[in-house]
Amino acid sequence: MSASGDPTPSESYAQPEDWTDPQRWVALPRGKRTDEHGSETEFPHTTEGAVAALAAANTSVIEGSTSNVDEQLRLYYSYVAKEDQSEAAAERVELGSIDNGKAISREMGLKPGAPMPPGAYMRSHVVGFKVIKPSPDQVSVWLLSRVTQKAGETAEEKGSYTRLLLGAKWEGTDWKLSVDASKAAQQDAAGQTEPEMVAPGDAAFNAAGWTAIRQAS
């Protein structure tokens, strides 16, 4: 899931039964503060700080009274570069989030537009990354996320994986999602094979060049 408001995974992958330890692990740094939207911000001015910011910008929880609109607008205002923010862009995020939220509910067999029932949720968090091109003020990264959803207290949890190509730029005191940086990321990744979308614990995770994420330090 991203700050663009599109939570729909293009592909999915079943977690392996046989666990193979990832060869690369990183405990990403935390941000220095929580902003007015409740988001973790002000990450270190390092490559890992950029990855941590992008991971935070792609972590969301739709549960209880918190809707997809709530989460996508929070991510937008907290993590999108100021030069890319506008009233029109925020409105597009809001309208897109409404439609996507209804699609999520339908997929889960729930009533579109209504709050999640007790025990129901949709959660997305980043589990791995692959840096394409780092520089002091701009970083291109592949992100691997796990999306889980549960339609109610007695429902079975379902999971899938998504892969995103993103760019972050240093803006003032923090890393931000940037249109220009993401365009640069597409150029940086041009001609390269997309890393296979495989779960941490799968032997192919290592072959794909992913780095697993430990609990933030």
Side-chain angles (χ1 to χ4, degrees), residues 143-155:
L143 292 184
L144 178 68
S145 297
R146 177 164 169 77
V147 180
T148 55
Q149 61 182 40
K150 197 165 185 254
E153 292 177 345
T154 60

PDB file of all heavy atoms in Angstrom, residues 143-155:
ATOM      1  N   LEU A 143      10.434  -2.066  -2.658  1.00  0.00           N
ATOM      2  CA  LEU A 143       9.868  -2.463  -1.368  1.00  0.00           C
ATOM      3  C   LEU A 143       9.016  -3.715  -1.546  1.00  0.00           C
ATOM      4  O   LEU A 143       8.257  -3.835  -2.520  1.00  0.00           O
ATOM      5  CB  LEU A 143       8.986  -1.358  -0.787  1.00  0.00           C
ATOM      6  CG  LEU A 143       9.645  -0.054  -0.329  1.00  0.00           C
ATOM      7  CD1 LEU A 143       8.592   0.855   0.299  1.00  0.00           C
ATOM      8  CD2 LEU A 143      10.782  -0.304   0.652  1.00  0.00           C
ATOM      9  N   LEU A 144       9.125  -4.616  -0.596  1.00  0.00           N
ATOM     10  CA  LEU A 144       8.307  -5.828  -0.568  1.00  0.00           C
ATOM     11  C   LEU A 144       7.406  -5.747   0.660  1.00  0.00           C
ATOM     12  O   LEU A 144       7.893  -5.636   1.787  1.00  0.00           O
ATOM     13  CB  LEU A 144       9.198  -7.067  -0.480  1.00  0.00           C
ATOM     14  CG  LEU A 144       8.487  -8.421  -0.385  1.00  0.00           C
ATOM     15  CD1 LEU A 144       7.764  -8.748  -1.683  1.00  0.00           C
ATOM     16  CD2 LEU A 144       9.499  -9.526  -0.052  1.00  0.00           C
ATOM     17  N   SER A 145       6.097  -5.767   0.450  1.00  0.00           N
ATOM     18  CA  SER A 145       5.147  -5.627   1.556  1.00  0.00           C
ATOM     19  C   SER A 145       4.254  -6.858   1.679  1.00  0.00           C
ATOM     20  O   SER A 145       3.963  -7.540   0.684  1.00  0.00           O
ATOM     21  CB  SER A 145       4.252  -4.399   1.353  1.00  0.00           C
ATOM     22  OG  SER A 145       5.005  -3.213   1.359  1.00  0.00           O
ATOM     23  N   ARG A 146       3.820  -7.105   2.895  1.00  0.00           N
ATOM     24  CA  ARG A 146       2.829  -8.151   3.147  1.00  0.00           C
ATOM     25  C   ARG A 146       1.516  -7.476   3.514  1.00  0.00           C
ATOM     26  O   ARG A 146       1.470  -6.599   4.390  1.00  0.00           O
ATOM     27  CB  ARG A 146       3.276  -9.081   4.270  1.00  0.00           C
ATOM     28  CG  ARG A 146       2.221 -10.143   4.619  1.00  0.00           C
ATOM     29  CD  ARG A 146       2.810 -11.279   5.444  1.00  0.00           C
ATOM     30  NE  ARG A 146       1.784 -12.153   6.002  1.00  0.00           N
ATOM     31  CZ  ARG A 146       1.124 -13.083   5.311  1.00  0.00           C
ATOM     32  NH1 ARG A 146       1.387 -13.258   4.041  1.00  0.00           N
ATOM     33  NH2 ARG A 146       0.220 -13.842   5.887  1.00  0.00           N
ATOM     34  N   VAL A 147       0.459  -7.878   2.839  1.00  0.00           N
ATOM     35  CA  VAL A 147      -0.881  -7.357   3.103  1.00  0.00           C
ATOM     36  C   VAL A 147      -1.720  -8.492   3.677  1.00  0.00           C
ATOM     37  O   VAL A 147      -1.800  -9.576   3.090  1.00  0.00           O
ATOM     38  CB  VAL A 147      -1.544  -6.830   1.815  1.00  0.00           C
ATOM     39  CG1 VAL A 147      -2.941  -6.302   2.107  1.00  0.00           C
ATOM     40  CG2 VAL A 147      -0.685  -5.738   1.183  1.00  0.00           C
ATOM     41  N   THR A 148      -2.302  -8.264   4.846  1.00  0.00           N
ATOM     42  CA  THR A 148      -3.158  -9.269   5.465  1.00  0.00           C
ATOM     43  C   THR A 148      -4.559  -8.707   5.661  1.00  0.00           C
ATOM     44  O   THR A 148      -4.722  -7.509   5.918  1.00  0.00           O
ATOM     45  CB  THR A 148      -2.611  -9.726   6.832  1.00  0.00           C
ATOM     46  OG1 THR A 148      -2.418  -8.584   7.668  1.00  0.00           O
ATOM     47  CG2 THR A 148      -1.288 -10.457   6.666  1.00  0.00           C
ATOM     48  N   GLN A 149      -5.547  -9.559   5.532  1.00  0.00           N
ATOM     49  CA  GLN A 149      -6.922  -9.124   5.748  1.00  0.00           C
ATOM     50  C   GLN A 149      -7.725 -10.218   6.436  1.00  0.00           C
ATOM     51  O   GLN A 149      -7.470 -11.404   6.258  1.00  0.00           O
ATOM     52  CB  GLN A 149      -7.586  -8.732   4.426  1.00  0.00           C
ATOM     53  CG  GLN A 149      -7.687  -9.848   3.411  1.00  0.00           C
ATOM     54  CD  GLN A 149      -8.306  -9.369   2.105  1.00  0.00           C
ATOM     55  OE1 GLN A 149      -8.020  -8.268   1.631  1.00  0.00           O
ATOM     56  NE2 GLN A 149      -9.160 -10.184   1.511  1.00  0.00           N
ATOM     57  N   LYS A 150      -8.657  -9.770   7.247  1.00  0.00           N
ATOM     58  CA  LYS A 150      -9.512 -10.685   8.008  1.00  0.00           C
ATOM     59  C   LYS A 150     -10.901 -10.069   8.046  1.00  0.00           C
ATOM     60  O   LYS A 150     -11.055  -8.899   8.378  1.00  0.00           O
ATOM     61  CB  LYS A 150      -8.965 -10.863   9.430  1.00  0.00           C
ATOM     62  CG  LYS A 150      -9.499 -12.066  10.179  1.00  0.00           C
ATOM     63  CD  LYS A 150      -8.612 -12.332  11.398  1.00  0.00           C
ATOM     64  CE  LYS A 150      -9.055 -13.623  12.101  1.00  0.00           C
ATOM     65  NZ  LYS A 150      -9.770 -13.359  13.344  1.00  0.00           N
ATOM     66  N   ALA A 151     -11.919 -10.835   7.679  1.00  0.00           N
ATOM     67  CA  ALA A 151     -13.270 -10.301   7.531  1.00  0.00           C
ATOM     68  C   ALA A 151     -14.052 -10.255   8.837  1.00  0.00           C
ATOM     69  O   ALA A 151     -15.161  -9.712   8.877  1.00  0.00           O
ATOM     70  CB  ALA A 151     -14.050 -11.111   6.497  1.00  0.00           C
ATOM     71  N   GLY A 152     -13.501 -10.827   9.908  1.00  0.00           N
ATOM     72  CA  GLY A 152     -14.196 -10.825  11.188  1.00  0.00           C
ATOM     73  C   GLY A 152     -13.473 -11.691  12.194  1.00  0.00           C
ATOM     74  O   GLY A 152     -12.456 -12.328  11.871  1.00  0.00           O
ATOM     75  N   GLU A 153     -13.998 -11.718  13.420  1.00  0.00           N
ATOM     76  CA  GLU A 153     -13.313 -12.434  14.494  1.00  0.00           C
ATOM     77  C   GLU A 153     -13.109 -13.912  14.191  1.00  0.00           C
ATOM     78  O   GLU A 153     -12.098 -14.498  14.571  1.00  0.00           O
ATOM     79  CB  GLU A 153     -14.097 -12.262  15.797  1.00  0.00           C
ATOM     80  CG  GLU A 153     -14.068 -10.824  16.331  1.00  0.00           C
ATOM     81  CD  GLU A 153     -14.910 -10.663  17.579  1.00  0.00           C
ATOM     82  OE1 GLU A 153     -15.729 -11.567  17.867  1.00  0.00           O
ATOM     83  OE2 GLU A 153     -14.752  -9.640  18.261  1.00  0.00           O
ATOM     84  N   THR A 154     -14.073 -14.535  13.532  1.00  0.00           N
ATOM     85  CA  THR A 154     -13.983 -15.974  13.273  1.00  0.00           C
ATOM     86  C   THR A 154     -13.507 -16.286  11.860  1.00  0.00           C
ATOM     87  O   THR A 154     -13.376 -17.449  11.497  1.00  0.00           O
ATOM     88  CB  THR A 154     -15.353 -16.645  13.492  1.00  0.00           C
ATOM     89  OG1 THR A 154     -16.320 -16.061  12.603  1.00  0.00           O
ATOM     90  CG2 THR A 154     -15.825 -16.450  14.928  1.00  0.00           C
ATOM     91  N   ALA A 155     -13.242 -15.262  11.068  1.00  0.00           N
ATOM     92  CA  ALA A 155     -12.813 -15.465   9.682  1.00  0.00           C
ATOM     93  C   ALA A 155     -11.336 -15.845   9.617  1.00  0.00           C
ATOM     94  O   ALA A 155     -10.545 -15.521  10.510  1.00  0.00           O
ATOM     95  CB  ALA A 155     -13.058 -14.209   8.860  1.00  0.00           C
TER      96      ALA A 155
END
